[in-house]
């Protein structure tokens, strides 16, 4: 009789805990994932703010333009190393201006990445997708680089989706 009471109590407690904590775990995961994407988007906007001068003076070869580009390259590299991410900057045509990926080709067309045209239209993009280039699932954030009312380009931050999970 005593073991039946203990077994019934154990089943009851287990049932209550499962019905309470399984939905809670899903909710917490959703909240944390949203927080991580919000942080990435904030970081992308900060990096985009630093990219305005580089995109405005990109064709120029003045000392100020080189210094702006060098400073931005350093900022992108430090961020990428700290977050284990890849950061790219494209111009308003979707052509690669700067990347933390050493194998990337400057001037390459990035408009085939769905987040880039969206960011170039002025709307931030975030999400996850499979990358045929990297051969893995990526988490990404892409934001427009805006000066005045003009979209000069976009900054995209990507990292393996496993990093987010």
């Amino acid at each position: 009789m005593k073991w039946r009471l203990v077994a019934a109590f154990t089943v009851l407690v287990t049932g209550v805990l499962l019905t309470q904590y399984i939905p809670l775990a899903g909710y917490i995961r959703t909240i944390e994932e949203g927080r991580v994407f919000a942080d990435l988007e904030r970081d992308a906007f900060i990096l985009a703010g630093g990219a305005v001068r580089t995109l405005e003076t990109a064709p120029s070869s003045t000392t100020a333009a080189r210094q702006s580009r060098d400073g931005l390259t350093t900022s992108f590299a430090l961020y990428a190393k700290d977050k284990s991410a890849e950061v790219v900057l494209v111009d308003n045509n979707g052509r690669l201006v700067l990347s933390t990926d050493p194998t990337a080709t400057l001037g390459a067309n990035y408009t085939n990445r769905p987040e880039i045209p969206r960011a170039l239209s002025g709307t931030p993009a975030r999400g996850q997708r499979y990358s045929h280039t990297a051969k893995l699932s990526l988490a990404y954030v892409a934001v427009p680089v805006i000066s005045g009312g003009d979209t000069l380009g976009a900054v995209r931050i990507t990292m393996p989706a496993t990093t987010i999970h």
Side-chain angles (χ1 to χ4, degrees):
M1 181 73 163
K2 188 175 184 181
W3 67 272
R4 286 183 186 171
L5 184 60
V6 170
F9 185 70
T10 302
V11 168
L12 178 67
V13 169
T14 302
V16 168
L17 290 175
L18 288 176
T19 57
Q20 181 179 5
Y21 289 113
I22 288 177
L24 181 62
Y27 174 74
I28 290 173
R29 178 186 169 138
T30 302
I31 294 299
E32 281 301 304
E33 198 170 278
R35 185 189 60 77
V36 169
F37 274 113
D39 289 349
L40 286 173
E41 193 171 301
R42 178 206 59 220
D43 295 346
F45 272 114
I46 291 169
L47 292 170
V52 170
R53 187 170 179 192
T54 297
L55 289 175
E56 288 177 336
T57 60
S60 173
S61 63
T62 65
T63 303
R66 281 193 306 274
Q67 287 175 339
S68 173
R69 186 180 179 92
D70 291 346
L72 189 60
T73 301
T74 302
S75 295
F76 277 25
L78 289 172
Y79 182 84
K81 183 178 179 186
D82 183 50
K83 301 293 184 178
S84 299
E86 180 186 335
V87 184
V88 299
L89 172 66
V90 297
D91 63 14
N92 60 350
N93 296 316
R95 300 285 179 183
L96 184 64
V97 174
L98 191 65
S99 176
T100 56
D101 178 4
T103 63
T105 306
L106 294 182
N109 186 354
Y110 271 59
T111 57
N112 61 345
R113 280 79 168 178
E115 61 275 9
I116 296 297
R118 184 166 177 192
L120 290 175
S121 73
T123 305
R126 65 161 86 167
Q128 296 180 40
R129 68 173 177 80
Y130 183 78
S131 169
H132 296 288
T133 308
K135 306 275 190 268
L136 58 97
S137 184
L138 293 177
Y140 64 84
V141 171
V143 299
V145 178
I146 299 172
S147 177
D150 300 326
T151 300
L152 304 177
V155 170
R156 181 187 74 169
I157 299 173
T158 57
M159 60 182 52
T162 56
T163 305
I164 300 291
H165 301 299

